[in-house]
Amino acid sequence: MSYQLDAVIGDFDQLRSWAEEVPGAVVAPLAQRMGLLVPPPTLRDDVARMLCDLSTGGPVAHVEAEFWGGDGHQTAAVWRAGAREWGPEHTSEFDGPREHWPINAALARIGVVPPGPGAPDHHDLFVEVGLGQGRDEEDWRRAASKAYDAADYDEWYANEQAERERAERVAAERARYERLPGVPVVLNGKEIIALLGIPQGRTIGAAVRHLQQLHLERGSLPREEAEAALCAWAAEHHGLDPAPGSQADGDGDGEGDGEGDGAPTRSSGRLASTERSASHSLENGPR
């Protein structure tokens, strides 16, 4: 897979302010309040002049890289106060310390800092600032477009944080209904439907997940104890009562259940055993 980069890195708000006056220039947000400026084609023939102008507002790094299948090269230079301060440095050999690679060295000079010892790639500022999030100019233009409505870096960051938290909530909610692979469950879906008196739906998945969590926490449970625990869970979290016509809802005499002889049905017998198991659990406490 290929990777191509030819951009200017600097303070996001500074670069955005400059790009507003330049048709075709866009800025994508990076980590640590940095931004990536994609220069318009009209300015690529006079990069030095552009960098001189940009750096009057703060230090910037001009970074270039091209890789294919693990082989490639990178070049970087730093400009400050209208003049080139460092570089350009170039390499196609990446066997030395990462902090000495041209782009990492340039990023350090404009204020990017490592996340700290123990973090993955903590010497690789290229990764830390987020330059691996795009693979070509088109990717960075898309990233800039997503941030276009944000007034500044703080607003963009707040929006991104809110979106991440929303995605985490959605994932956590989805996980409640997903079956854990390889974890056994005492009751199948049809038995849960009969026990709780509910139709097929997402609650069945949540019930299965709850039984699996019980298995992980308490080991293999007897069927009656699992039924009792499931009924208690359904009442607490979903407001569900036992299935109609069972002894648990006060109608265990068989009338109207189609049996005609007053004998307990399979469902009512299960709920009766559930109540006994529940009483036993309350008396003796959790195992």
Coordinates of all heavy atoms in Angstrom, one line a residue, residues 145-194:
S145 N -12.4 18.7 5.3 CA -13.8 19.0 5.1 C -14.7 18.7 6.3 O -15.6 19.4 6.6 CB -14.3 18.2 3.8 OG -15.6 18.5 3.6
K146 N -14.4 17.6 7.0 CA -15.1 17.3 8.2 C -15.0 18.3 9.3 O -15.9 18.5 10.1 CB -14.7 15.9 8.7 CG -15.1 14.7 7.8 CD -14.6 13.4 8.3 CE -15.1 13.1 9.7 NZ -14.7 11.8 10.3
A147 N -13.9 19.0 9.3 CA -13.6 20.0 10.4 C -14.0 21.4 9.9 O -13.8 22.3 10.7 CB -12.2 19.9 10.8
Y148 N -14.5 21.5 8.7 CA -14.7 22.8 8.1 C -15.6 23.7 9.0 O -15.4 24.9 9.1 CB -15.3 22.7 6.7 CG -15.5 24.0 6.0 CD1 -14.5 24.7 5.4 CD2 -16.8 24.6 5.9 CE1 -14.7 25.9 4.8 CE2 -17.0 25.8 5.3 CZ -15.9 26.4 4.7 OH -16.1 27.6 4.1
D149 N -16.7 23.2 9.6 CA -17.7 24.0 10.3 C -17.2 24.4 11.7 O -17.8 25.2 12.3 CB -19.0 23.2 10.4 CG -19.7 23.1 9.1 OD1 -19.5 24.0 8.2 OD2 -20.4 22.1 8.9
A150 N -16.1 23.8 12.2 CA -15.6 24.1 13.5 C -14.9 25.5 13.4 O -14.1 25.8 12.5 CB -14.6 23.1 14.0
A151 N -15.2 26.4 14.4 CA -14.7 27.7 14.4 C -13.2 27.7 14.7 O -12.4 28.5 14.2 CB -15.4 28.6 15.4
D152 N -12.7 26.8 15.6 CA -11.3 26.7 15.9 C -11.0 25.3 16.4 O -11.9 24.4 16.4 CB -11.0 27.7 17.0 CG -11.9 27.6 18.2 OD1 -12.5 26.5 18.5 OD2 -12.1 28.6 18.9
Y153 N -9.8 25.1 16.8 CA -9.4 23.7 17.3 C -10.2 23.2 18.5 O -10.6 22.0 18.5 CB -7.9 23.7 17.6 CG -7.3 22.3 17.8 CD1 -6.8 21.6 16.8 CD2 -7.3 21.7 19.1 CE1 -6.3 20.3 16.9 CE2 -6.8 20.4 19.3 CZ -6.3 19.8 18.2 OH -5.8 18.5 18.4
D154 N -10.5 24.1 19.4 CA -11.2 23.7 20.6 C -12.6 23.2 20.2 O -13.1 22.2 20.8 CB -11.3 24.8 21.6 CG -10.0 25.2 22.2 OD1 -9.1 24.2 22.4 OD2 -9.8 26.3 22.6
E155 N -13.3 23.9 19.3 CA -14.6 23.4 18.9 C -14.5 22.1 18.2 O -15.3 21.2 18.4 CB -15.3 24.5 18.1 CG -16.7 24.1 17.7 CD -17.4 25.2 16.9 OE1 -17.1 26.4 17.1 OE2 -18.2 24.8 16.0
W156 N -13.6 21.9 17.3 CA -13.4 20.7 16.6 C -13.1 19.5 17.6 O -13.7 18.5 17.5 CB -12.2 20.7 15.6 CG -11.9 19.4 15.1 CD1 -12.5 18.7 14.1 CD2 -10.8 18.5 15.6 NE1 -11.9 17.5 13.9 CE2 -10.8 17.3 14.8 CE3 -9.8 18.7 16.6 CZ2 -10.0 16.3 15.0 CZ3 -9.0 17.6 16.8 CH2 -9.0 16.4 16.0
Y157 N -12.2 19.8 18.6 CA -11.9 18.7 19.5 C -13.1 18.4 20.4 O -13.3 17.2 20.6 CB -10.8 19.2 20.4 CG -10.3 18.2 21.4 CD1 -9.3 17.2 21.0 CD2 -10.7 18.1 22.7 CE1 -8.8 16.3 21.8 CE2 -10.3 17.1 23.5 CZ -9.3 16.2 23.1 OH -8.9 15.2 24.0
A158 N -13.9 19.3 20.8 CA -15.1 19.1 21.6 C -16.1 18.2 20.8 O -16.7 17.3 21.3 CB -15.8 20.4 22.0
N159 N -16.2 18.6 19.5 CA -17.1 17.8 18.6 C -16.6 16.3 18.5 O -17.4 15.4 18.5 CB -17.3 18.4 17.3 CG -18.0 19.8 17.3 OD1 -18.7 20.1 18.3 ND2 -17.8 20.6 16.3
E160 N -15.3 16.2 18.3 CA -14.8 14.9 18.1 C -14.9 14.0 19.4 O -15.2 12.9 19.3 CB -13.3 15.0 17.8 CG -13.0 15.3 16.3 CD -13.5 14.3 15.4 OE1 -12.9 13.2 15.4 OE2 -14.4 14.5 14.6
Q161 N -14.7 14.7 20.5 CA -14.9 14.0 21.8 C -16.3 13.5 22.0 O -16.5 12.4 22.5 CB -14.4 14.9 23.0 CG -14.4 14.2 24.3 CD -13.3 13.2 24.4 OE1 -12.3 13.2 23.7 NE2 -13.4 12.3 25.4
A162 N -17.2 14.4 21.7 CA -18.6 14.1 21.8 C -19.0 12.9 20.9 O -19.8 12.0 21.3 CB -19.5 15.3 21.5
E163 N -18.5 12.9 19.7 CA -18.7 11.8 18.8 C -18.1 10.5 19.2 O -18.8 9.4 19.1 CB -18.2 12.2 17.4 CG -18.4 11.1 16.3 CD -19.8 10.7 16.1 OE1 -20.7 11.6 16.3 OE2 -20.1 9.6 15.6
R164 N -16.9 10.6 19.8 CA -16.3 9.3 20.3 C -17.1 8.8 21.5 O -17.3 7.6 21.6 CB -14.9 9.6 20.8 CG -13.9 9.7 19.7 CD -12.4 9.6 20.2 NE -12.1 10.8 21.0 CZ -11.6 11.9 20.5 NH1 -11.3 12.0 19.2 NH2 -11.3 12.9 21.3
E165 N -17.6 9.7 22.4 CA -18.4 9.2 23.5 C -19.7 8.6 23.0 O -20.2 7.6 23.6 CB -18.6 10.4 24.5 CG -17.3 10.8 25.2 CD -17.6 12.1 26.0 OE1 -18.7 12.6 26.0 OE2 -16.6 12.5 26.7
R166 N -20.3 9.2 22.0 CA -21.6 8.7 21.5 C -21.3 7.3 20.9 O -22.1 6.3 21.1 CB -22.1 9.6 20.4 CG -23.5 9.2 19.9 CD -23.8 9.8 18.6 NE -23.0 9.3 17.5 CZ -23.2 8.1 16.9 NH1 -24.2 7.4 17.2 NH2 -22.3 7.7 15.9
A167 N -20.2 7.1 20.1 CA -19.9 5.8 19.5 C -19.6 4.8 20.6 O -20.0 3.6 20.4 CB -18.7 6.0 18.6
E168 N -19.0 5.2 21.7 CA -18.7 4.2 22.8 C -20.0 3.8 23.4 O -20.2 2.6 23.8 CB -17.8 4.9 23.8 CG -16.4 5.0 23.3 CD -15.5 5.9 24.3 OE1 -16.1 6.3 25.3 OE2 -14.3 6.0 24.0
R169 N -21.0 4.8 23.6 CA -22.3 4.4 24.2 C -23.0 3.4 23.3 O -23.7 2.5 23.8 CB -23.1 5.7 24.4 CG -22.6 6.5 25.6 CD -23.7 7.5 26.0 NE -24.0 8.4 24.9 CZ -23.4 9.6 24.7 NH1 -22.4 10.0 25.5 NH2 -23.8 10.4 23.7
V170 N -23.0 3.7 22.0 CA -23.7 2.8 21.0 C -23.1 1.4 21.1 O -23.8 0.4 21.1 CB -23.6 3.4 19.6 CG1 -24.1 2.4 18.6 CG2 -24.5 4.7 19.5
A171 N -21.7 1.4 21.1 CA -21.1 0.1 21.2 C -21.4 -0.7 22.5 O -21.6 -1.9 22.4 CB -19.6 0.3 21.0
A172 N -21.4 0.1 23.6 CA -21.8 -0.6 24.8 C -23.2 -1.1 24.8 O -23.5 -2.2 25.3 CB -21.5 0.4 26.0
E173 N -24.1 -0.3 24.3 CA -25.5 -0.7 24.2 C -25.6 -2.0 23.3 O -26.4 -2.9 23.6 CB -26.4 0.4 23.7 CG -27.8 0.1 23.5 CD -28.5 -0.1 24.8 OE1 -28.0 0.3 25.9 OE2 -29.7 -0.6 24.8
R174 N -24.9 -2.0 22.2 CA -25.0 -3.1 21.3 C -24.4 -4.4 21.9 O -25.0 -5.4 21.8 CB -24.2 -2.8 20.0 CG -24.3 -3.9 18.9 CD -23.4 -3.6 17.8 NE -23.7 -2.3 17.1 CZ -22.9 -1.3 17.1 NH1 -21.7 -1.4 17.7 NH2 -23.3 -0.2 16.5
A175 N -23.4 -4.2 22.7 CA -22.8 -5.3 23.4 C -23.7 -6.0 24.4 O -23.6 -7.2 24.6 CB -21.5 -4.9 24.1
R176 N -24.7 -5.2 24.9 CA -25.7 -5.8 25.8 C -26.5 -6.9 25.2 O -27.0 -7.8 25.9 CB -26.6 -4.7 26.4 CG -26.0 -3.7 27.3 CD -27.0 -2.7 27.7 NE -28.1 -3.4 28.3 CZ -29.4 -2.9 28.3 NH1 -29.6 -1.8 27.6 NH2 -30.4 -3.5 28.9
Y177 N -26.6 -6.9 23.9 CA -27.5 -7.8 23.2 C -26.7 -8.8 22.4 O -27.3 -9.7 21.7 CB -28.4 -7.0 22.3 CG -29.3 -6.0 23.0 CD1 -28.9 -4.7 23.0 CD2 -30.4 -6.4 23.6 CE1 -29.6 -3.7 23.7 CE2 -31.2 -5.4 24.3 CZ -30.8 -4.1 24.3 OH -31.6 -3.2 25.0
E178 N -25.4 -8.8 22.4 CA -24.6 -9.7 21.7 C -24.2 -10.9 22.5 O -23.7 -10.8 23.6 CB -23.4 -9.0 21.1 CG -23.7 -8.0 20.0 CD -22.5 -7.3 19.5 OE1 -21.4 -7.4 20.1 OE2 -22.6 -6.6 18.5
R179 N -24.3 -12.1 21.9 CA -23.9 -13.3 22.6 C -22.4 -13.4 22.7 O -21.7 -13.2 21.7 CB -24.5 -14.5 21.9 CG -24.3 -15.8 22.6 CD -25.1 -16.9 22.0 NE -25.0 -18.2 22.8 CZ -25.9 -19.0 22.9 NH1 -27.1 -18.8 22.3 NH2 -25.7 -20.2 23.6
L180 N -21.9 -13.8 23.9 CA -20.4 -14.0 24.0 C -20.0 -15.3 23.4 O -20.6 -16.4 23.7 CB -20.1 -14.0 25.5 CG -20.3 -12.7 26.2 CD1 -20.1 -12.9 27.7 CD2 -19.4 -11.6 25.7
P181 N -19.1 -15.3 22.5 CA -18.6 -16.6 21.9 C -18.0 -17.5 22.9 O -17.2 -17.1 23.7 CB -17.6 -16.1 20.8 CG -17.1 -14.8 21.3 CD -18.2 -14.2 22.0
G182 N -18.4 -18.8 22.8 CA -17.7 -19.8 23.6 C -18.2 -19.9 25.1 O -17.7 -20.7 25.8
V183 N -19.2 -19.1 25.5 CA -19.7 -19.1 26.8 C -21.1 -19.8 26.8 O -22.0 -19.3 26.2 CB -19.8 -17.7 27.4 CG1 -20.4 -17.7 28.9 CG2 -18.5 -17.0 27.4
P184 N -21.2 -20.9 27.6 CA -22.5 -21.6 27.5 C -23.6 -20.9 28.2 O -23.4 -20.0 29.0 CB -22.2 -22.9 28.3 CG -21.0 -22.6 29.2 CD -20.2 -21.6 28.4
V185 N -24.8 -21.3 27.9 CA -26.0 -20.6 28.5 C -27.0 -21.7 28.9 O -27.2 -22.7 28.1 CB -26.6 -19.6 27.6 CG1 -27.1 -20.2 26.3 CG2 -27.7 -18.8 28.3
V186 N -27.6 -21.7 30.0 CA -28.5 -22.7 30.5 C -29.8 -22.8 29.7 O -30.3 -23.9 29.4 CB -28.8 -22.5 32.0 CG1 -29.8 -23.6 32.5 CG2 -27.6 -22.5 32.8
L187 N -30.4 -21.6 29.3 CA -31.6 -21.6 28.6 C -31.4 -21.1 27.2 O -30.6 -20.2 26.9 CB -32.6 -20.6 29.3 CG -32.9 -20.9 30.8 CD1 -33.7 -19.8 31.4 CD2 -33.5 -22.2 31.0
N188 N -32.2 -21.7 26.3 CA -32.1 -21.2 24.9 C -33.2 -20.1 24.7 O -34.0 -19.8 25.6 CB -32.3 -22.3 23.9 CG -33.6 -23.1 24.0 OD1 -34.7 -22.4 24.3 ND2 -33.6 -24.4 23.7
G189 N -33.2 -19.5 23.5 CA -34.1 -18.4 23.2 C -35.6 -18.8 23.5 O -36.4 -18.0 24.1
K190 N -36.0 -19.9 23.0 CA -37.4 -20.3 23.1 C -37.8 -20.5 24.6 O -38.9 -20.1 25.0 CB -37.7 -21.6 22.4 CG -37.7 -21.5 20.9 CD -38.0 -22.8 20.2 CE -38.0 -22.6 18.7 NZ -38.3 -23.9 18.0
E191 N -36.9 -21.1 25.4 CA -37.2 -21.2 26.8 C -37.2 -19.9 27.5 O -38.0 -19.7 28.5 CB -36.1 -22.1 27.4 CG -36.2 -23.6 26.9 CD -34.9 -24.4 27.3 OE1 -33.8 -23.8 27.4 OE2 -35.1 -25.6 27.5
I192 N -36.4 -19.0 27.1 CA -36.5 -17.6 27.7 C -37.8 -16.9 27.4 O -38.4 -16.3 28.2 CB -35.3 -16.8 27.3 CG1 -34.0 -17.4 27.8 CG2 -35.4 -15.3 27.7 CD1 -32.7 -16.7 27.3
I193 N -38.2 -17.1 26.2 CA -39.5 -16.5 25.7 C -40.7 -17.1 26.6 O -41.5 -16.3 27.1 CB -39.8 -16.8 24.2 CG1 -38.8 -15.9 23.4 CG2 -41.2 -16.5 23.9 CD1 -38.8 -16.2 21.9
A194 N -40.7 -18.4 26.8 CA -41.7 -19.0 27.6 C -41.6 -18.6 29.0 O -42.7 -18.4 29.7 CB -41.6 -20.6 27.5

